[in-house]
């Protein structure tokens, strides 16, 4: 209370910030307990949500930096920047951390925009040796603190003597506030930018090819170089330094943004890596195992922008550097592995690689990057289960369904490559080995609707509600516009339909939706397992249930089998390289698939990256969920909550803790919710809050 009282006394009331030099005035909100409870400003997935009112009033979370003005950006001069530091509620923060808790570290970068080369020329370079200079932030400048939350920074670096004041300059600021000892984390300010002409003229457009929000679909948030100072969490900051001024690394790699980013994201699929040369940017920075979670040809996953011109920059500026980053087996001097032969420079690239597509899979840039599942030549299949009858014990379910193309035409599914119906239950927690049948031979078609009757009856032991689903594959030849042989092996699949049937329930009870495939596709774009025909997570869990494993594909000599229960498997797959145990599943064709090299790009505490709501992963789990058989783990039978938690926390210490709180022989229950349940001291949602 004493520290809070001091902070409130010093900063009570509104604070008007005035700069005589720049003739500007800023008014910010007062500090103190006027802001209401933390729960009014933060969600339960944030650490701030769990602060007491006193802690919240004392800390006033967050950090933001805003640019009041910048002067002295002229030849031979040292720029001076005036800034404001505020918390999430707009109140001022003391940069030094004396008046308000948490010292703030801020870095300043200046770059001049070179429109001809579509890149910055960094103006705050740092010479680390007589022969090596890095484009960087300014280093060694001085601060003048005018008032709480109001400061000026004078650069140590003077502008070049030949500096051109008529070209647009970008000032970028990134900052962090040290509060880990108070709230368990440091705050990173949203990057602040100012694009301006030093001579006072109108600023031109600058870099806008990639929106940081696109990166954060997977990275959540993208965050680099935090070991050296405030983390960099904005792409525009990245390109201010990762210019062609960057020296080649010790391992011979370029750090230029358009080269480095393409190569990192193509990682393990780079031709050079495939041929045995790892992609090591610098000692300790090996990206040879990075697997982009979708097709690398999806250029617009990253290349998004509010500016149509900038969003399409990947189609209008082909170059040896950018294109050769992914296609790194091309020898531009000899023409090896390049249909266009040798290329002296980038001048003639656009002669063949035009920006406007003429045909899919042609030599134009957009045409060459068409992904098969996005082809306009596809039929646009959709499938709907219209009804399921004969759903009693011992009866053979009769399914009526439709497969339509994008024009609404009903298709005969019997000639399809795959038409496989599956049923399983109960929906409280799928527990049986699914009944799965090839339906083509027994399907009838009347020109509009198709029907299929299962050849296996509903078991006498079936209870509750069961689900019926279907996998469809149809080969659709795709014509190439570049004269190469057409693509004849691609199979199109519609979203798997799910239809619920009541066995002993009065009405069908749908399976709870804990994970939304739309969330998966923010990163994966088109999550399609088992050859691309399984696209619906509600379909996945019928087979990937607590009692199923890979024993049908695993050789006896490799036993015991591995559980394929969804909550365990998905957590382990996404934990990947951070697992302490081996995680290998034997799949179709008895092939071993190891997931210990998966490099998840996000923060695994962000459970809403996949889950629909916090309630979907909080404890206790719904009544009816069942234990998971896990023969390859420390605990060979795990409660449903335990199986999910030990999916990520796979070490022996976590297993021991779970074991002490579980009765397994026979399974009686798990006590996880006693401490980790909703509203408890170690609530799962609270423990994963960031």
């Amino acid at each position: 209370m004493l520290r809070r009282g001091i902070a409130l006394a010093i900063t009570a009331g509104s604070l008007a910030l005035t700069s005589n030099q720049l003739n500007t005035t800023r008014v910010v909100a007062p500090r103190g307990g006027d802001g209401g409870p933390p729960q009014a400003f933060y969600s339960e997935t944030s650490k701030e949500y769990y602060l007491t009112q006193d802690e919240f009033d004392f800390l006033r979370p967050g950090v933001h930096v805003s640019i009041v003005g910048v002067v002295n950006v002229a030849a031979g001069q040292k720029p001076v920047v005036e800034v404001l530091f505020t918390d999430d509620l707009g109140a001022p923060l003391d940069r030094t951390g004396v008046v308000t808790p948490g010292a703030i570290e801020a870095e300043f970068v200046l770059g001049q925009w070179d429109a001809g080369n579509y890149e910055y020329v960094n103006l705050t370079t740092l010479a680390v040796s007589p022969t090596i200079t890095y484009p960087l932030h300014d280093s060694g400048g001085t601060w003048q603190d005018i008032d709480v939350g109001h400061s000026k920074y004078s650069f140590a670096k003077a502008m070049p003597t030949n500096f051109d004041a008529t070209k647009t300059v970008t000032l970028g600021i990134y900052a962090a506030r040290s509060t880990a000892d108070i709230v368990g984390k440091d705050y990173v300010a949203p990057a602040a930018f100012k694009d301006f002409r030093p001579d006072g003229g109108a600023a031109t457009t600058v870099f806008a090819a990639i929106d940081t929000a696109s990166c954060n679909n997977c990275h959540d948030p993208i965050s680099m170089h935090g070991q050296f100072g405030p983390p960099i969490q904005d792409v525009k900051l990245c390109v201010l330094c990762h210019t062609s001024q960057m020296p080649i690394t010790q391992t011979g790699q370029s750090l230029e943004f358009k080269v480095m980013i393409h190569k990192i994201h193509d990682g393990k699929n780079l031709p050079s890596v495939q041929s045995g040369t790892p992609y090591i940017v610098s000692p300790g920075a090996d990206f040879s195992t990075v697997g982009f979670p979708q097709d690398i040809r999806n250029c617009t996953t990253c290349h998004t922008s509010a500016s149509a011109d900038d969003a399409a920059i990947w189609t209008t500026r082909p170059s040896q550097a950018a294109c050769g980053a992914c296609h790194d087996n091309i020898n531009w001097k000899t023409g090896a592995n390049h249909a266009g032969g040798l290329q002296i420079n980038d001048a003639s690239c656009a002669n063949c690689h035009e920006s406007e597509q003429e045909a899919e899979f042609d030599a134009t840039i957009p045409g060459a990057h068409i992904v098969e599942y996005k082809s306009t030549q596809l039929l646009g299949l959709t499938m709907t289960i219209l009804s399921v009858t004969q759903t009693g014990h011992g009866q053979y379910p009769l399914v009526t369904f439709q497969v339509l193309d994008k024009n609404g035409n009903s298709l005969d599914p019997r000639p399809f490559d795959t038409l496989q119906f599956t049923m399983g239950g109960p929906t409280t927690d799928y527990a049986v080995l699914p009944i799965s049948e090839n339906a083509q031979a027994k399907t009838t078609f009347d020109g509009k609707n198709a029907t299929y009757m299962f050849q296996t009856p509903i078991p006498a032991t079936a209870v509750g509600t069961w689900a019926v689903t279907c996998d469809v594959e149809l080969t659709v030849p795709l014509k190439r516009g570049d004269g190469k042989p057409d693509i004849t092996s691609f199979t199109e699949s519609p979203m798997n339909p799910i239809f619920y049937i009541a066995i002993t329930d009065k009405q069908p009870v749908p399976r709870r939706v804990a994970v939304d495939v739309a969330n998966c596709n923010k990163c994966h774009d088109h999550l399609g397992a088992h050859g691309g025909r399984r696209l619906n997570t509600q379909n996945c869990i019928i087979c990937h249930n607590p009692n199923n494993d890979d024993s049908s594909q695993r050789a006896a000599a490799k036993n015991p089998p591995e559980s394929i229960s969804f909550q365990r498997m998905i957590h382990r797959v996404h934990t990947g390289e951070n697992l302490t145990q081996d995680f290998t599943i034997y799949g179709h064709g008895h092939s071993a698939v190891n997931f210990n090299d998966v490099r998840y790009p996000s923060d695994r505490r962000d459970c809403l990256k996949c889950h629909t709501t916090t309630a979907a992963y909080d404890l206790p789990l719904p009544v009816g969920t069942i234990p998971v058989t896990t023969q390859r783990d420390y605990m060979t039978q795990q409660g449903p909550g335990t199986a999910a938690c030990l999916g990520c926390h796979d070490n022996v210490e976590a297993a021991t803790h779970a074991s002490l709180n579980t009765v397994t022989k026979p399974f009686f229950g798990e006590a996880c919710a006693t401490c980790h349940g909703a509203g408890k001291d170690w609530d799962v949602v609270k423990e994963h809050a960031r």
Side-chain angles (χ1 to χ4, degrees), residues 15 31 50 89 135 186 190 206 245 264 271 308 375 387 403 421 484 514 595 617 655:
L15 178 63
R31 290 188 61 83
Y50 303 96
L89 274 67
D186 293 331
V206 294
Q245 297 163 276
I264 285 176
S375 171
S387 67
V403 181
F421 276 93
K484 294 180 181 178
F595 296 97
Y617 62 90

Side-chain angles (χ1 to χ4, degrees), residues 438-615:
N438 185 334
Q440 287 157 307
K442 298 291 184 179
T443 291
T444 62
F445 180 64
D446 65 8
K448 180 179 180 181
N449 298 335
T451 59
Y452 172 71
M453 187 173 72
F454 273 87
Q455 303 302 292
T456 305
I458 293 177
T461 55
V463 296
T465 296
W466 277 37
V468 176
T469 186
C470 189
D471 299 348
V472 169
E473 287 182 299
L474 176 63
T475 297
V476 180
L478 302 176
K479 184 173 180 59
R480 296 186 64 98
D482 58 3
K484 294 180 181 178
D486 292 341
I487 300 168
T488 58
S489 59
F490 183 75
T491 55
E492 181 179 356
S493 297
M495 177 64 72
N496 312 99
I498 306 288
F499 195 94
Y500 295 106
I501 56 176
I503 308 297
T504 60
D505 289 333
K506 290 183 179 180
Q507 296 292 330
V509 179
R511 167 74 180 197
R512 68 185 187 277
V513 181
V515 172
D516 188 343
V517 72
N519 289 343
C520 305
N521 286 335
K522 289 176 183 177
C523 197
H524 289 285
D525 187 63
H526 184 79
L527 184 62
H530 301 286
R533 71 191 199 196
R534 291 178 185 162
L535 303 162
N536 190 341
T537 50
Q538 291 297 95
N539 167 287
C540 300
I541 55 180
I542 298 173
C543 293
H544 288 275
N545 69 55
N547 290 323
N548 209 354
D549 57 36
D550 66 353
S551 55
S552 65
Q553 301 296 324
R554 182 184 288 265
K558 300 292 185 179
N559 277 336
E562 179 61 83
S563 167
I564 59 170
S565 187
F566 199 73
Q567 79 268 52
R568 169 184 165 86
M569 180 186 74
I570 293 301
H571 283 114
R572 293 228 163 169
V573 166
H574 287 79
T575 301
E577 65 178 356
N578 294 309
L579 290 169
T580 66
Q581 299 182 57
D582 173 76
F583 189 62
T584 300
I585 292 177
Y586 280 78
H588 292 287
H590 310 285
S591 58
V593 182
N594 179 266
F595 296 97
N596 289 77
D597 65 346
V598 172
R599 301 174 71 163
Y600 185 57
S602 190
D603 186 333
R604 283 175 295 130
R605 294 174 301 171
D606 185 5
C607 303
L608 291 180
K609 200 73 174 172
C610 302
H611 285 286
T612 51
T613 64
T614 56

Side-chain angles (χ1 to χ4, degrees), residues 46 53 75 102 105 123 229 265 314 426 510 537 643:
S46 300
Q53 188 67 56
E105 181 181 1
L123 300 171
H265 285 76
W314 64 281
T537 50

Side-chain angles (χ1 to χ4, degrees), residues 185-207:
K185 67 177 182 182
D186 293 331
Y187 289 106
V188 179
F193 297 100
K194 182 177 178 62
D195 304 321
F196 63 100
R197 278 251 308 256
D199 66 348
T204 60
T205 57
V206 294
F207 176 87

